Amino acid sequence: MKDNIKKLAHIIKNSNNMVVMTGAGMDTESNIPDFRSKDGLWYKMDPAKVATVEALHQNYPLFHEFYSARIKNMDNITPHEGHYVLAELEEKGYIKSLATQNISGLHAMAGSRNIYELHGNIREIRCNECHTSHSIEEFLDKKNCNNCGKNALRPGIVLFGEMLPTNTWQRAMRDVENSEILMVIGTSLQVYPVNQMPYMTRGKTVYINMEQARGYDFDIEIIGRAGEVLTELKEMLL
């Protein structure tokens, strides 16, 4: 692992345009469960029943209960060292932008600035009918929308069956296509269309995860915890 981190540090020092893409494995080290492992959020819950627009319309109490619990569970969640390393590498000019599948907002909390939240942010609440912004407290208190009056407040995240935010996705794709390095961290690359990003870049590709990638041929693959790998990488770069 150390040799591959040294190799990664070398190519970063000799490039000017690195884009990072993160998934659930980045946030699990902040004690946020992932989705597909045996301890993940979907192991005991069918996403088709709760994380869809249909559930919002047809079974709002279940939808509200699920996302209220998720929001409350975020109260004591903080970024880990890996989040802070990415923010510092951006500040030092090594990272151009960061695209994330995560909805936690932890990258922003750690100080990253040029972030593409491809699946939205759970802390941003809006009305599903008229798109008026609301507070988390209004959602948790089961308030109706104060603009249209509908009982349709929801987190500003991409539900199953919804499209990714077009502008955010297009800007992220542009950065990936122009990147000299694409660093993919903490994702199994099972979700379309984000799993196409490694094919979009003409630059070097790097994969950091607890398990190997299936169906991809990365230039550098580092198996380990994101926080530990990134901390070691920082020591070699800064």
Side-chain angles (χ1 to χ4, degrees):
M1 184 175 76
K2 188 177 286 289
D3 288 343
N4 278 344
I5 297 175
K6 286 181 180 178
K7 186 188 301 184
L8 174 57
H10 176 74
I11 67 170
I12 290 175
K13 287 178 179 178
N14 290 280
S15 69
N16 298 306
N17 187 344
M18 179 166 68
V19 175
V20 175
M21 197 265 278
T22 66
M26 184 74 192
D27 278 5
T28 53
E29 293 176 43
S30 287
N31 297 317
I32 298 177
D34 66 3
F35 288 86
R36 292 173 176 81
S37 72
K38 63 182 177 63
D39 299 316
L41 290 171
W42 302 133
Y43 188 71
K44 297 179 181 178
M45 179 77 72
D46 182 357
K49 293 182 179 178
V50 289
T52 65
V53 176
E54 288 75 19
L56 191 157
H57 287 304
Q58 299 170 14
N59 195 345
Y60 187 78
L62 178 62
F63 177 91
H64 185 275
E65 178 185 3
F66 179 73
Y67 282 107
S68 291
R70 290 196 65 187
I71 290 172
K72 290 175 182 177
N73 286 339
M74 297 293 295
D75 284 347
N76 299 315
I77 297 296
T78 57
H80 61 75
E81 183 60 27
H83 291 105
Y84 289 107
V85 170
L86 292 178
E88 189 169 354
L89 293 182
E90 179 186 359
E91 182 183 1
K92 299 295 184 182
Y94 289 110
I95 294 175
K96 177 178 181 179
S97 62
L98 186 154
T100 184
Q101 296 171 279
N102 300 331
I103 60 175
S104 62
L106 292 180
H107 286 298
M109 290 173 63
S112 291
R113 296 184 177 182
N114 194 13
I115 308 168
Y116 302 122
E117 292 180 316
L118 301 175
H119 292 171
N121 190 316
I122 198 169
R123 292 183 170 92
E124 297 175 357
I125 304 298
R126 62 178 171 83
C127 175
N128 189 64
E129 301 301 317
C130 69
H131 307 292
T132 301
S133 296
H134 287 267
S135 68
I136 289 177
E137 290 71 27
E138 287 173 312
F139 175 74
L140 295 178
D141 291 341
K142 301 181 181 179
K143 299 289 188 181
N144 288 355
C145 175
N146 57 28
N147 181 59
C148 70
K150 298 291 182 62
N151 186 25
L153 299 192
R154 57 169 286 181
I157 61 177
V158 178
L159 301 175
F160 283 89
E162 291 183 322
M163 300 290 290
L164 299 188
T166 302
N167 184 51
T168 301
W169 172 247
Q170 290 178 344
R171 291 167 62 201
M173 277 199 305
R174 178 199 61 206
D175 283 7
V176 170
E177 289 169 354
N178 294 325
S179 64
E180 294 180 21
I181 302 172
L182 174 64
M183 183 190 297
V184 178
I185 307 173
T187 173
S188 57
L189 292 169
Q190 294 183 27
V191 177
Y192 182 86
V194 176
N195 61 3
Q196 299 304 299
M197 280 189 168
Y199 300 122
M200 295 175 183
T201 182
R202 294 184 292 273
K204 298 286 186 181
T205 56
V206 181
Y207 187 70
I208 301 171
N209 196 30
M210 290 297 293
E211 298 177 352
Q212 290 182 319
R214 296 180 180 179
Y216 293 86
D217 185 18
F218 287 93
D219 293 298
I220 299 176
E221 190 169 270
I222 302 171
I223 305 303
R225 293 171 62 86
E228 294 174 2
V229 173
L230 291 171
T231 298
E232 199 162 335
L233 175 64
K234 172 188 169 180
E235 292 173 355
M236 295 179 185
L237 288 173
L238 304 180

